[in-house]
Amino acid sequence: QVQLVESGGDSVQAGGSLRLSCAASGYPFSMFCMGWFRQAPGKKREEVATIDAYGTSTYADDVKGRFTISRDNAKNTLYLQMSSLKSEDTAVYYCARDLGGYCPQPGLHNAFPYWGQGTQVTVSS
């Protein structure tokens, strides 16, 4: 079955960097769109970045230029490199897999049906 396991979350100072990883198993990783999402306390879950099976990535406006999503298909691993972190980046970060190779439009119902357990990122100012 599909398994997604995030790691790399930590507590950092504002302006710092972190790299999150998501180890995938149970399916042909290279064939599917993957995404990073986050949920801060009291807020709705939001899409952070996606990368399709062909290497095309998208970013939420508030992380553009600071975060980079990438994938290593040989290692079945998804990454999120985060830099210039801000206190508002504090959240639980989740990786997720969609049903196809191309990534869906943000907010599409029933998109990304597979999720990891999440990893906590805390940014202190």
Side-chain angles (χ1 to χ4, degrees), residues 5-54:
V5 180
E6 302 94 336
S7 61
D10 205 346
S11 296
V12 296
Q13 295 283 336
S17 299
L18 276 177
R19 188 177 79 159
L20 305 183
S21 299
C22 172
S25 61
Y27 71 98
F29 176 76
S30 65
M31 294 178 62
F32 293 92
C33 162
M34 298 293 296
W36 284 101
F37 296 76
R38 67 186 180 187
Q39 187 166 19
K43 295 189 176 182
K44 293 174 61 175
R45 187 176 62 200
E46 61 177 354
E47 183 177 291
V48 175
T50 64
I51 184 166
D52 67 20
Y54 316 100

Side-chain angles (χ1 to χ4, degrees), residues 11-12 14 20-22 40 51 54 59 64 71 78-79 93 98 111 121-123:
S11 296
V12 296
L20 305 183
S21 299
C22 172
I51 184 166
Y54 316 100
Y59 297 91
K64 281 180 182 176
R71 63 193 302 163
L78 178 73
Y79 301 101
Y93 284 71
D98 194 50
V121 172
T122 303
V123 184

